[in-house]
Amino acid sequence: MRVRQIVAAAAAATLALGLTACGSDTEKKAAESKGLVDKAKSDKKLIVGVKYEQPALGLKKPDGSLEGFDVDVAKYIAGKLGVPESGIEFKEARSENRESFLQTGQVDLVIATYSITDSRKPKVTFGGPYYVAHQDTMVKSDNTGIKKATDLKGKKICKAAGSNSWRRVTDPAPDGKLDLDATLVDATGYADCTAKLASGAVDAVSTDDLILAGFAAQQKGKFKVINDPFTDEKYGVGIRKGDTAGCEAVNKAITDMYTDGTAKKLLEKHFTGAGLKLQTDKAPTFEGCA
């Protein structure tokens, strides 16, 4: 009898553990399946990936605070989703880890000069674009040999990890634009590219004009942007693949940002004096949330 009682108790304990584990797995799957809109509504918290090293876009200051256009856009969109600024946790998103951050759930959104491209669409759902930048080129202020993009032929240009900008210079279509022979010099990011430009390790840095304008403004007199744009770079809001409702909510927030004048105010706040022709009158044409 005692043996039967022990066996029965053990079986019950095993069943209980199985149910607990099952419940735990179910809760985990439910948490993972919660979309952006539901999470924002229920938790009042979001984790947003932004750059930490791009002046005027996403820059971490010595006191630990963040500033820049992308940071302000993130706060606006989060607010429209019902998340107060105090509920936003910012996480550094570098060019090489943006997809993995979204795929593994480390962030809910990526707003980090994240160009919408055909190669990225199978991995990420994009809201927006919230701005259309244009690839341009930055050189030292005393450089007279690079006046237009095609002058990059035969030059040393920076290849920032995780970025596709270098392809626009050196590759043929569809990924590339100029199809020029140039020497690529590896760098960890655009802050590193800027340091290499200052030291003479590269002749030029070619990427989005907003990125270049931020670095040129940060180090006044050292660099200049040649103002010869040759691509459209559609800055999207990265969302977990398949979250259509989240994408549509983000697009509505971006529309509001332009119609209520916030986009104009933020762009002028961060880029006035940079010599760029800012598009502030209406939201860009959205890519769609399929």
Side-chain angles (χ1 to χ4, degrees), residues 51-124:
K51 293 290 182 73
Y52 277 16
E53 59 167 20
Q54 290 184 344
L57 285 157
L59 184 68
K60 190 171 186 177
K61 300 195 305 187
D63 64 3
S65 63
L66 294 168
E67 66 178 11
F69 178 60
D70 282 355
V71 175
D72 286 343
V73 169
K75 292 175 182 177
Y76 184 92
I77 291 174
K80 286 292 182 177
L81 294 174
V83 177
E85 190 171 328
S86 60
I88 304 171
E89 177 187 340
F90 286 108
K91 187 178 180 72
E92 183 179 16
R94 301 182 65 84
S95 295
E96 67 269 23
N97 64 22
R98 293 174 294 198
E99 281 91 14
S100 64
F101 271 14
L102 288 165
Q103 291 168 339
T104 57
Q106 294 186 60
V107 298
D108 301 302
L109 297 171
V110 171
I111 304 177
T113 59
Y114 200 6
S115 295
I116 301 171
T117 66
D118 289 339
S119 63
R120 289 169 177 161
K121 285 180 179 179
K123 308 170 190 175
V124 175

Side-chain angles (χ1 to χ4, degrees), residues 13-87:
T14 301
L15 178 60
L17 285 171
L19 290 172
T20 301
C22 181
S24 176
D25 288 343
T26 301
E27 290 170 3
K28 182 178 179 182
K29 287 179 180 178
E32 289 175 347
S33 64
K34 187 185 291 186
L36 175 67
V37 174
D38 289 340
K39 180 177 181 181
K41 184 178 180 180
S42 63
D43 299 355
K44 301 297 181 184
K45 293 181 180 179
L46 288 175
I47 304 172
V48 184
V50 297
K51 293 290 182 73
Y52 277 16
E53 59 167 20
Q54 290 184 344
L57 285 157
L59 184 68
K60 190 171 186 177
K61 300 195 305 187
D63 64 3
S65 63
L66 294 168
E67 66 178 11
F69 178 60
D70 282 355
V71 175
D72 286 343
V73 169
K75 292 175 182 177
Y76 184 92
I77 291 174
K80 286 292 182 177
L81 294 174
V83 177
E85 190 171 328
S86 60

Side-chain angles (χ1 to χ4, degrees), residues 183-205:
T183 300
L184 298 173
V185 179
D186 288 332
T188 58
Y190 284 106
D192 190 22
C193 281
T194 303
K196 283 177 164 45
L197 180 60
S199 70
V202 299
D203 299 308
V205 179

Side-chain angles (χ1 to χ4, degrees):
M1 180 70 178
R2 180 175 175 78
V3 172
R4 289 179 182 173
Q5 288 176 336
I6 292 172
V7 171
T14 301
L15 178 60
L17 285 171
L19 290 172
T20 301
C22 181
S24 176
D25 288 343
T26 301
E27 290 170 3
K28 182 178 179 182
K29 287 179 180 178
E32 289 175 347
S33 64
K34 187 185 291 186
L36 175 67
V37 174
D38 289 340
K39 180 177 181 181
K41 184 178 180 180
S42 63
D43 299 355
K44 301 297 181 184
K45 293 181 180 179
L46 288 175
I47 304 172
V48 184
V50 297
K51 293 290 182 73
Y52 277 16
E53 59 167 20
Q54 290 184 344
L57 285 157
L59 184 68
K60 190 171 186 177
K61 300 195 305 187
D63 64 3
S65 63
L66 294 168
E67 66 178 11
F69 178 60
D70 282 355
V71 175
D72 286 343
V73 169
K75 292 175 182 177
Y76 184 92
I77 291 174
K80 286 292 182 177
L81 294 174
V83 177
E85 190 171 328
S86 60
I88 304 171
E89 177 187 340
F90 286 108
K91 187 178 180 72
E92 183 179 16
R94 301 182 65 84
S95 295
E96 67 269 23
N97 64 22
R98 293 174 294 198
E99 281 91 14
S100 64
F101 271 14
L102 288 165
Q103 291 168 339
T104 57
Q106 294 186 60
V107 298
D108 301 302
L109 297 171
V110 171
I111 304 177
T113 59
Y114 200 6
S115 295
I116 301 171
T117 66
D118 289 339
S119 63
R120 289 169 177 161
K121 285 180 179 179
K123 308 170 190 175
V124 175
T125 290
F126 281 104
Y130 59 94
Y131 191 76
V132 179
H134 307 282
Q135 184 160 337
D136 212 315
T137 304
M138 183 170 73
V139 297
K140 283 185 176 180
S141 57
D142 60 355
N143 186 311
T144 58
I146 300 175
K147 296 179 180 178
K148 55 187 184 298
T150 51
D151 291 335
L152 293 173
K153 183 177 180 179
K155 301 296 192 296
K156 293 178 292 183
I157 65 170
C158 202
K159 179 185 176 184
S163 174
N164 289 315
S165 293
W166 60 274
R167 294 186 184 278
R168 310 285 193 266
V169 177
T170 62
D171 287 12
D175 291 331
K177 183 76 173 179
L178 302 179
D179 195 16
L180 300 176
D181 288 326
T183 300
L184 298 173
V185 179
D186 288 332
T188 58
Y190 284 106
D192 190 22
C193 281
T194 303
K196 283 177 164 45
L197 180 60
S199 70
V202 299
D203 299 308
V205 179
S206 185
T207 190
D208 309 349
D209 52 6
L210 293 188
I211 296 174
L212 298 177
F215 281 110
Q218 184 188 52
Q219 303 188 47
K220 294 184 185 299
K222 282 189 177 181
F223 310 116
K224 63 183 179 183
V225 180
I226 66 172
N227 284 311
D228 185 28
F230 56 94
T231 69
D232 290 339
E233 301 298 330
K234 302 172 183 178
Y235 283 178
V237 177
I239 306 165
R240 190 178 65 192
K241 183 63 181 174
D243 188 353
T244 303
C247 175
E248 291 172 347
V250 166
N251 283 351
K252 184 179 185 309
I254 294 170
T255 299
D256 291 344
M257 186 174 71
Y258 276 85
T259 56
D260 69 14
T262 299
K264 182 176 187 295
K265 180 177 71 175
L266 295 180
L267 285 162
E268 290 177 349
K269 169 186 172 183
H270 294 292
F271 298 106
T272 292
L276 301 178
K277 185 179 180 181
L278 299 169
Q279 301 297 319
T280 63
D281 54 339
K282 62 179 180 178
T285 301
F286 295 146
E287 290 286 293
C289 294

